[in-house]
Amino acid sequence: DLAVTVTLDGQQLQMLRARTGMAVLPLSYGDTGVLQLDVLYASLRQLGAALARTERAARLIEFIDGQLAALWTAAVADRAPVAAYVGGISLAGTHGLVSTQAGHPPLAWAGGQNLADQVGPAGHLFLDREQLLHWDPPTLFIDGGGLASILSEYARDPGYYTQLRAVRAGRVYLTLPFNAYNTNVENALINAWLMAKVLHPVALAERDLQATASAIMRAFLGADPLPILARHGYGLGRLDLATGQWIPQS
């Protein structure tokens, strides 16, 4: 009865309507690869109205706002941002360590100082390898979408990675895949809590990350797929680049 679309342009929408004879509801997360909450919320409300699930849409928006408010209180308010870098961000495919994002929402929500913000406005970008060495971030977060590419890079050129103090100090952390063209919103919230726990360990010492992640998954999906993701190599925790193994963060 209804075709719900994301990222189709006007010509594609017209073609879809003509070929199927169906009503088409175009939705959006914002610009490709850039999560814009106001646009997401508008789409959730539209979808809720179309499916007669307005209360569900309102609860989901309220849940996201509640998570962001809790992150602000726990990690951001009255605390200095802590420098970090996020590598392996996906956009139109998976990429290695120098694939990153200025204005990365989870890192901002977590009270992090995103080193990539120095390069330009919010959005995906590829760094020069020398720039990352120059910054020498104290903490590296590796997006799960780029994990395979980064492990391959490390195997080919471990010397580059070991020039980074975060690698030498064992401060490399695996996060859930953030983007697949558009943002995995539940993963973004979960990643923010991991980043906050790593960057503000004293303030979040009592926060159970796994319980928080499970609650977020259940709020979005009605179930917790994290154990299944873990069996496929995705999770949240300290990452050993030499072995590809990670230790779940508590």
Side-chain angles (χ1 to χ4, degrees):
D1 299 321
L2 177 68
V4 180
T5 72
V6 180
T7 71
L8 296 189
D9 61 29
Q11 184 176 1
Q12 291 170 318
L13 291 172
Q14 184 178 358
M15 183 181 299
L16 181 59
R17 291 188 183 99
R19 289 186 176 181
T20 65
M22 297 170 60
V24 177
L25 175 62
L27 302 178
S28 176
Y29 291 76
D31 296 334
T32 302
V34 180
L35 175 62
Q36 296 169 276
L37 286 177
D38 57 338
V39 178
L40 171 67
Y41 288 177
S43 288
L44 287 173
R45 293 187 183 102
Q46 287 179 275
L47 187 60
L51 300 178
R53 297 293 301 277
T54 55
E55 290 186 8
R56 165 64 175 159
R59 287 198 306 272
L60 197 52
I61 292 169
E62 183 180 8
F63 179 83
I64 297 170
D65 282 340
Q67 290 291 313
L68 297 180
L71 277 160
W72 174 270
T73 300
V76 180
D78 301 321
R79 293 184 179 88
V82 180
Y85 174 80
V86 186
I89 298 291
S90 298
L91 188 72
T94 60
H95 308 287
L97 186 63
V98 298
S99 178
T100 189
Q101 183 186 46
H104 188 64
L107 190 52
W109 298 337
Q113 175 195 350
N114 185 355
L115 294 174
D117 288 350
Q118 302 174 42
V119 176
H124 181 268
L125 55 93
F126 290 104
L127 287 180
D128 291 331
R129 282 160 53 98
E130 292 76 12
Q131 180 64 68
L132 189 55
L133 292 177
H134 174 71
W135 284 338
D136 196 15
T139 302
L140 283 177
F141 293 106
I142 302 300
D143 185 81
L147 177 61
S149 296
I150 286 172
L151 294 178
S152 295
E153 285 181 353
Y154 183 90
R156 291 194 305 269
D157 187 8
Y160 173 78
Y161 278 80
T162 55
Q163 292 182 72
L164 297 168
R165 57 175 162 163
V167 176
R168 296 195 304 272
R171 289 189 57 82
V172 181
Y173 297 87
L174 179 64
T175 66
L176 297 176
F178 173 71
N179 271 346
Y181 285 92
N182 285 298
T183 301
N184 298 308
V185 182
E186 68 278 27
N187 289 3
L189 287 172
I190 292 169
N191 289 349
W193 280 111
L194 168 71
M195 292 172 175
K197 182 115 180 168
V198 168
L199 298 177
H200 304 280
V202 175
L204 278 88
E206 301 302 316
R207 169 68 60 168
D208 185 328
L209 178 64
Q210 297 302 321
T212 298
S214 179
I216 292 170
M217 286 296 192
R218 292 182 187 281
F220 275 82
L221 307 175
D224 179 8
L226 287 170
I228 299 172
L229 291 174
R231 291 199 293 272
H232 289 275
Y234 297 108
L236 304 157
R238 194 184 300 269
L239 174 66
D240 185 332
L241 290 167
T243 65
Q245 301 299 308
W246 55 276
I247 301 171
Q249 185 81 16
S250 63

